[in-house]
Amino acid sequence: METSIIKSQAYGKDRVRIVRVVRRADGWQEIADYSVCVLLSGEAFESSYTKGDNKLVVATDSQKNIVYYLGKTLPPCRVMVPEVFASEIAAFMVKKYSHVTTCHVKIITKPWERMQFDSKGHPHSFCREGKETRWTEAFVTRKGDGLGVRMNSGFYDLEVLKTTNSSFTDFWRDELTTLPEMADRVLSTKVLCQWTFVSDDLETLQKTPFNRVFAGAKRNTLDALANDPRAWVHASVQSTLYVMADRILNDFAEVDDVYYALPNIHYFPFDLSKLGLKNLQSDAEVYMPIADPSGYITATISRPPKGKI
């Protein structure tokens, strides 16, 4: 028979990813992106450890649901500040479950920076500034008496997100299709962008304004995502990718082609219908980010052969 005693205990749900979007009447939108850990403790839970008695155990899945429930039902001012939201969750747990002695809530924020265009903040498009990595590689090959040069440059891990003005509808459907059509959705991706220079003149290639090309590629990536007024551009990740690359090719004659890889990081509205709340389609305000599996969209875009434009 076991004789050891429990010195301390706590259990709960960790890494509950929740995104809250606040949509204002004037079109200005705000976003909070959290990873939440909830831990409950109290003497009443000891029997679940020592006797296998689960009668008082609040399922960790229920704790997760409460995080989303409060994210939806609390006023935005009590969700958008992590300290306030954490205290609201903890207080809710202790008040609702009388056998809970302590609720420990930890929130790690994953802030998004609002995109800036002409020194003005964009109403609904965001990125994680300074997180992308710039890189380059050069291939120099002997060609007769000269040198052939191929250079790839680019950046990766540029995280971007917009809370509206993205859709995915009218796609192929059959008996294996379960994905609903989305006339408006949260779009997020981690951009990998690569562009290529090809030349037989190393000295001339080295005079290319590489810093300007890099800045322009990043600017066109963000601007196409956030600001292009044409609806078809935002009908899929594919169409947005194409316009991003086309802009780079039009701005920089030195660039031979452009490659993008855009994982579609899904933000699905959390279904709160079992809790009596509407949070789907046009009512969506609380989202569950899903890292895996993700969509994965790639393409290499180049200029058409001369005479075929």
Side-chain angles (χ1 to χ4, degrees):
M1 182 176 178
E2 295 78 14
T3 58
S4 303
I5 63 171
I6 294 176
K7 191 172 182 179
S8 65
Q9 58 81 24
Y11 81 101
K13 203 71 162 182
D14 194 12
R15 291 183 290 181
V16 179
R17 288 294 312 281
I18 177 171
V19 171
R20 175 68 158 95
V21 176
V22 178
R23 296 183 172 89
R24 306 197 183 281
D26 60 359
W28 192 261
Q29 303 193 3
E30 298 177 4
I31 185 171
D33 189 339
Y34 299 143
S35 179
V36 181
C37 176
V38 181
L39 295 173
L40 305 182
S41 59
E43 290 185 4
F45 297 119
E46 290 188 3
S47 60
S48 68
Y49 291 84
T50 61
K51 299 178 182 179
D53 182 355
N54 296 328
K55 291 184 179 63
L56 294 177
V57 174
V58 180
T60 63
D61 188 68
S62 301
Q63 296 177 45
K64 174 205 69 179
N65 289 343
I66 288 169
V67 172
Y68 290 111
Y69 173 84
L70 293 175
K72 177 72 174 182
T73 59
L74 286 172
C77 64
R78 309 205 72 75
V79 178
M80 306 305 282
V81 180
E83 290 84 355
V84 177
F85 190 42
S87 63
E88 289 282 352
I89 296 169
F92 182 94
M93 295 289 188
V94 174
K95 290 177 182 178
K96 183 170 181 61
Y97 304 108
S98 59
H99 56 289
V100 173
T101 301
T102 302
C103 177
H104 173 202
V105 176
K106 180 178 181 180
I107 293 180
I108 297 173
T109 64
K110 299 176 177 293
W112 292 96
E113 301 292 333
R114 192 175 297 277
M115 291 186 192
Q116 300 285 326
F117 297 95
D118 298 325
S119 300
K120 295 181 180 179
H122 195 276
H124 62 250
S125 296
F126 305 83
C127 64
R128 288 195 166 119
E129 288 286 358
K131 300 297 184 181
E132 78 276 1
T133 299
R134 181 178 175 179
W135 66 279
T136 191
E137 59 184 355
F139 301 86
V140 179
T141 305
R142 188 183 308 279
K143 296 181 67 175
D145 294 332
L147 298 174
V149 184
R150 178 183 180 88
M151 184 176 294
N152 298 322
S153 294
F155 56 84
Y156 59 86
D157 285 352
L158 174 65
E159 293 188 69
V160 297
L161 178 148
K162 62 179 182 178
T163 54
T164 189
N165 196 30
S166 176
S167 63
F168 188 56
T169 62
D170 197 30
F171 50 88
W172 181 280
R173 305 194 73 89
D174 57 28
E175 70 278 6
L176 299 176
T177 304
T178 59
L179 183 70
E181 295 201 350
M182 290 167 281
D184 192 54
R185 62 177 177 171
V186 172
L187 174 64
S188 180
T189 187
K190 187 178 288 188
V191 179
L192 184 156
C193 177
Q194 171 186 306
W195 50 94
T196 302
F197 308 95
V198 179
S199 178
D200 291 329
D201 187 337
L202 177 59
E203 185 175 346
T204 299
L205 180 61
Q206 289 176 338
K207 296 177 181 178
T208 300
F210 294 114
N211 288 339
R212 187 164 63 86
V213 175
F214 167 77
K218 181 179 177 182
R219 181 187 67 250
N220 279 310
T221 298
L222 300 179
D223 192 57
L225 178 86
N227 292 325
D228 198 296
R230 297 167 294 175
W232 73 267
V233 174
H234 310 285
S236 67
V237 176
Q238 288 90 327
S239 54
T240 307
L241 179 159
Y242 172 76
V243 172
M244 290 173 176
D246 183 71
R247 288 186 177 201
I248 295 171
L249 291 169
N250 286 327
D251 280 359
F252 301 103
E254 306 92 336
V255 173
D256 191 67
D257 59 44
V258 179
Y259 169 81
Y260 275 100
L262 301 178
N264 190 358
I265 303 171
H266 301 297
Y267 283 66
F268 291 130
F270 189 77
D271 187 356
L272 291 165
S273 60
K274 293 181 179 179
L275 304 181
L277 298 171
K278 294 180 179 180
N279 193 58
L280 301 177
Q281 302 299 331
S282 61
D283 297 307
E285 294 176 313
V286 173
Y287 298 83
M288 175 189 290
I290 305 293
D292 302 309
S294 68
Y296 194 70
I297 294 87
T298 71
T300 300
I301 312 299
S302 64
R303 295 182 180 84
K306 292 182 179 179
K308 292 190 177 182
I309 298 178

